[in-house]
Amino acid sequence: MMQKIVNFIQTLYNTKEFIPLHEPKFIGNEKKYLNECIDSTFVSSVGKFVDRFEEEFAAYVGSKYAVAVVNGTAALHVSLRLAEVQEGDEVITQPLTFVATCNAISYCGAKSIFVDVDLDSMGMSPQSLENFLEKNCEIQDNQCINKATKKVIRACVPMHTFGHPCKIDEIQKICETWHITLVEDAAESLGSFYKNKHTGTFGKLGAFSFNGNKIITSGGGGVIVTDDEVLAKKAKHLTTTAKLPHDYEYIHDIVAYNYRMPNLNASLLVAQMEELEKFLASKRSLTEEYTNFFTQFDDINLIQEPHGTRSNYWLQAVLLKDKENRDALLHYTNENGVMTRPIWKLMSELEMFRDCQKTDLSNAEYLQERVVNLPSSVRL
């Protein structure tokens, strides 16, 4: 079975050389726009490509505003600041996520609370969220208070795992009921839709990533989206060192961040956005071929987009029957030049987050022991 899988993936990518998990594709105007950027001499945080990218990105996802930043973690950090997450607050999130989610919460001086995920989406379970709130929380002065810690639960950060949208409309309603600000970690889900609405646009704020392994990339890069004009202006102010407009004086009114995306990166992203639909089509074609291949095995299942969603299928993932089989697949493929990876170690098991409050995490634990990511690069 293992050799069959390796052979099939080599056939998919038409090579017996090393096959990475996800490599970028630069097939359009990347070099042209990059040269234009260099020739303009506006290579840092001011330039036409930053503004153009923000406008085009907002139009694509259906948000009113987009603010480009240096990476997805910075986008999450600032989004949480804009959600007024403060020192001593608590933020509900999922344990099955990349560490950046919880790091951004910690940057604000807040503490994570972990609720379980759904098996179909691998994203936050609205049922687990609601159960936690009903059991542990109460509303006081229009704030959600954790009865055990007496702390304010200020925000909720679900993540759309591998581009598969979670049940974000249900989470949105629960957050509204409990006076919790919804901030979406949409880092992996550009091109993904839940009930025909783009991920990242359900919450007050959404954060995307353009790291080198994402569906479009500028090497780094991130963006904050929102429909709130006041928050969008605050986001731009916070990410540009809070510098006030002046012809020549350097005046800054608050402690802020140097998080603005450079024009060089934005020039790449403008070109990458032009190819996004091709990339998405390639991802779906790859999914179809993987799906057909894995039907021959009873104990390996390719994870599919949940009902009512359209996933970007950023990373292909299979579910094995147990940890022993997962580890065998990981070992054999990597030993034979095919890069595969397990899903992340649960945040609740990392040293810095072990003391965080958590619900029963049975689904997250089940997935942690069984999920493997397969090569998912765009093929053109």
Side-chain angles (χ1 to χ4, degrees):
M1 179 181 75
M2 299 297 179
Q3 188 59 50
K4 271 189 175 182
I5 293 172
V6 168
N7 291 344
F8 178 72
I9 294 173
Q10 289 173 338
T11 300
L12 282 177
Y13 287 97
N14 193 31
T15 183
K16 292 189 180 295
E17 302 297 321
F18 172 74
I19 300 173
L21 191 69
H22 195 287
E23 64 180 0
K25 289 286 188 278
F26 301 108
I27 60 169
N29 288 314
E30 288 88 356
K31 291 181 180 179
K32 175 185 175 184
Y33 294 162
L34 194 57
N35 283 331
E36 285 181 22
C37 180
I38 292 169
D39 291 342
S40 76
T41 74
F42 289 97
V43 297
S44 192
S45 58
V46 176
K48 70 175 185 178
F49 286 109
V50 181
D51 296 335
R52 179 176 166 185
F53 171 68
E54 289 175 335
E55 291 171 5
E56 292 179 359
F57 191 87
Y60 181 84
V61 302
S63 66
K64 290 182 180 178
Y65 307 99
V67 178
V69 294
V70 291
N71 54 51
T73 308
L76 267 177
H77 179 202
V78 172
S79 294
L80 289 165
R81 281 287 310 273
L82 295 169
E84 300 183 0
V85 175
Q86 305 165 41
E87 185 88 26
D89 285 347
E90 294 175 338
V91 176
I92 299 175
T93 190
Q94 59 196 64
L96 196 69
T97 185
F98 183 58
V99 71
T101 309
C102 296
N103 281 346
I105 293 168
S106 297
Y107 296 164
C108 297
K111 196 162 190 174
S112 297
I113 295 172
F114 297 114
V115 299
D116 206 5
V117 298
D118 285 327
L119 290 176
D120 59 347
S121 70
M122 301 175 287
M124 183 180 288
S125 163
Q127 190 62 59
S128 181
L129 172 63
E130 190 167 46
N131 289 346
F132 172 82
L133 291 168
E134 289 178 351
K135 180 179 178 181
N136 297 283
C137 303
E138 60 187 5
I139 302 297
Q140 295 180 12
D141 299 323
N142 291 321
Q143 292 184 325
C144 182
I145 305 297
N146 187 332
K147 290 187 287 188
T149 63
K150 310 303 179 188
K151 302 289 188 180
V152 177
I153 297 178
R154 191 78 62 182
C156 176
V157 186
M159 198 270 284
H160 301 290
T161 308
F162 304 146
H164 298 305
C166 62
K167 298 182 180 71
I168 192 65
D169 59 343
E170 295 181 35
I171 293 170
Q172 179 187 38
K173 290 174 184 175
I174 294 167
C175 288
E176 288 174 356
T177 299
W178 285 90
H179 302 273
I180 297 170
T181 302
L182 176 58
V183 176
E184 284 178 77
D185 184 344
E188 302 171 358
S189 63
L190 176 60
S192 296
F193 294 81
Y194 184 81
K195 297 181 179 178
N196 299 316
K197 183 177 170 67
H198 201 289
T199 56
T201 64
F202 288 80
K204 181 169 281 190
L205 298 135
F208 292 82
S209 170
F210 310 111
N211 186 40
N213 66 351
K214 296 300 189 293
I215 192 164
I216 67 168
T217 184
S218 52
V223 72
I224 301 162
V225 298
T226 183
D227 285 340
D228 189 314
E229 183 180 8
V230 173
L231 288 181
K233 288 179 178 178
K234 284 183 178 179
K236 190 160 289 190
H237 191 57
L238 264 180
T239 57
T240 52
T241 67
K243 186 178 183 295
L244 298 175
H246 195 279
D247 287 345
Y248 52 85
E249 291 282 7
Y250 291 92
I251 304 170
H252 307 261
D253 60 350
I254 56 173
V255 175
Y257 311 100
N258 188 15
Y259 280 174
R260 185 72 168 155
M261 177 184 286
N263 202 37
L264 280 170
N265 297 77
S267 68
L268 287 172
L269 283 173
V270 169
Q272 289 269 283
M273 284 292 291
E274 293 173 350
E275 308 302 328
L276 178 57
E277 291 304 318
K278 290 180 186 175
F279 294 168
L280 291 168
S282 174
K283 295 279 189 181
R284 298 195 76 80
S285 172
L286 181 63
T287 301
E288 185 176 347
E289 291 191 60
Y290 269 133
T291 299
N292 292 336
F293 172 75
F294 281 109
T295 56
Q296 66 186 289
F297 304 115
D298 294 330
D299 50 1
I300 305 181
N301 293 298
L302 191 76
I303 294 174
Q304 304 283 342
E305 60 193 359
H307 178 72
T309 75
R310 185 171 180 84
S311 174
N312 67 2
Y313 282 107
W314 168 56
L315 284 185
Q316 303 288 335
V318 287
L319 189 70
L320 283 295
K321 67 178 182 179
D322 54 34
K323 189 174 185 297
E324 182 180 356
N325 279 265
R326 183 205 75 163
D327 290 347
L329 178 61
L330 287 167
H331 177 76
Y332 191 88
T333 49
N334 283 285
E335 284 290 308
N336 286 275
V338 174
M339 186 176 179
T340 59
R341 286 292 182 267
I343 206 166
W344 314 280
K345 187 176 182 68
L346 297 187
M347 296 300 103
S348 54
E349 296 180 7
L350 297 182
E351 184 63 36
M352 57 279 203
F353 303 124
R354 279 182 183 166
D355 64 339
C356 293
Q357 191 173 2
K358 61 186 178 183
T359 65
D360 174 79
L361 302 177
S362 298
N363 288 346
E365 291 164 357
Y366 180 90
L367 292 167
Q368 176 184 226
E369 293 185 348
R370 292 167 174 81
V371 172
V372 171
N373 288 126
L374 304 175
S376 305
S377 300
V378 166
R379 302 170 305 152
L380 295 169

